[in-house]
Amino acid sequence: MSVDRYLRRWNLTPDGEARRTPSSDLQPVVWQGRPAMLKVARSAEERRGNDLMVWLEGEGAARVYHHGGAALLMERLESAPDLAALALGGQDDAATRILCGAAAGVHRDRPSLPPDLPDLRRWFWSLEAAQAQGGAFGQAWATAQRLLADPQDVRPLHGDLHHGNVLRSPERGWLVIDPKGLIGERTFDFANLLCNPTLDHALTPERLERQSALIAQEAGLDRARLLAWVEAYAALSAAWHLEDAQMEQARPSLAVSALAHSLH
């Protein structure tokens, strides 16, 4: 069903410019006098993310007002202050603490069963294929195998937690949007934070050491295990670039992976 059909179906008034991403269509709207965001998924992965947003029931996440088919109507959050700009502007610690607080909202125990979500191990097929390249790929695949064989604190995960996917509600604070939706070890969800807001920033001298220690403290994680997940995740990201024949983009991810390996 198209965006226009959902506008009519849920009696929504457009309230800004529509945006199309590779996986979904987004339209700012007004619903019953409230600013909201209509998101229509165009991939199975985005639909799973919509299902997870419904399950979160607005706890640590934007509230969902309507859900049907490929579409989600949710609370519209504020993009300012921007966490990426905060981190890049010398307030990395503050941004990290906000992100850890948002993650805690996603990871909290809930009484209901989660939706059917893919196991984290499925995501690492690309790294398994890339490990034949050797080097950092092979090294990271060995680390990933060790982590995936013995997962700890398994629960539903956001799957794409970073500075652009945590926005602010004036009334409710910092909340997540746009999850991928996975089941796996809680520590994995923090690995992406250390590859963001940019890979150049991630490779700033001593940044990985400082922020990994801060995340471990804020989220109650084992720092060495967190760095192992960073090694595995950064190499996985590079493997995805490799699949798209984007080797130039893969190199900084591999550099983050190798740096994380040297620290744990």
Side-chain angles (χ1 to χ4, degrees):
M1 192 179 290
S2 69
V3 167
D4 288 341
R5 289 183 180 180
Y6 283 109
L7 291 175
R8 293 192 296 270
R9 179 178 177 182
W10 291 334
N11 194 25
L12 308 175
T13 303
D15 187 38
E17 188 175 347
R19 186 160 59 91
R20 186 178 181 89
T21 74
S23 57
S24 60
D25 295 306
L26 299 166
Q27 173 66 63
V29 296
V30 174
W31 173 74
Q32 297 185 358
R34 307 177 195 176
M37 182 68 72
L38 174 63
K39 177 181 178 179
V40 182
R42 288 189 283 106
S43 71
E45 184 177 83
E46 288 296 315
R47 283 180 178 242
R48 285 195 302 268
N50 287 354
D51 291 341
L52 183 62
M53 284 292 288
V54 172
W55 181 73
L56 292 173
E57 294 186 323
E59 294 185 18
R63 288 192 179 106
V64 174
Y65 300 135
H66 277 301
H67 178 229
L72 193 75
L73 179 67
M74 61 184 174
E75 176 182 10
R76 197 194 321 166
L77 303 175
E78 296 181 348
S79 57
D82 180 283
L83 289 185
L86 199 67
L88 295 171
Q91 298 187 64
D92 215 355
D93 287 5
T96 293
R97 289 190 176 96
I98 289 168
L99 288 160
C100 287
V106 174
H107 297 151
R108 71 181 58 161
D109 293 328
R110 289 171 167 81
S112 59
L113 291 174
D116 185 22
L117 300 171
D119 189 281
L120 178 58
R121 286 174 292 189
R122 283 174 50 185
W123 264 36
F124 279 86
W125 290 344
S126 295
L127 181 56
E128 182 178 10
Q131 59 97 20
Q133 304 276 332
F137 282 121
Q139 184 173 267
W141 173 238
T143 297
Q145 284 182 293
R146 172 172 60 82
L147 294 168
L148 293 167
D150 182 30
Q152 300 175 12
D153 196 7
V154 174
R155 58 186 61 231
L157 304 176
H158 183 283
D160 193 24
L161 194 63
H162 60 71
H163 299 67
N165 278 343
V166 176
L167 304 178
R168 186 175 173 274
S169 160
E171 297 81 22
R172 302 198 300 124
W174 294 92
L175 305 167
V176 304
I177 60 168
D178 291 348
K180 298 298 183 188
L182 298 166
I183 295 286
E185 180 174 329
R186 180 172 72 97
T187 306
F188 171 82
D189 245 357
F190 297 88
N192 197 17
L193 303 188
L194 291 164
C195 300
N196 276 280
T198 69
L199 288 167
D200 284 344
H201 187 66
L203 290 166
T204 301
E206 299 185 1
R207 194 259 181 173
L208 186 55
E209 295 95 317
R210 178 181 177 84
Q211 295 307 310
S212 61
L214 181 58
I215 290 171
Q217 178 183 8
E218 291 288 314
L221 304 174
D222 178 83
R223 180 171 175 263
R225 194 168 179 92
L226 171 60
L227 286 165
W229 275 116
V230 174
E231 176 193 354
Y233 174 77
L236 174 62
S237 179
W240 289 332
H241 285 304
L242 201 66
E243 289 175 345
D244 295 333
Q246 297 174 335
M247 195 56 208
E248 281 302 314
Q249 290 90 329
R251 287 194 179 97
S253 292
L254 286 177
V256 172
S257 179
L259 177 58
H261 179 82
S262 73
L263 295 173
H264 72 80

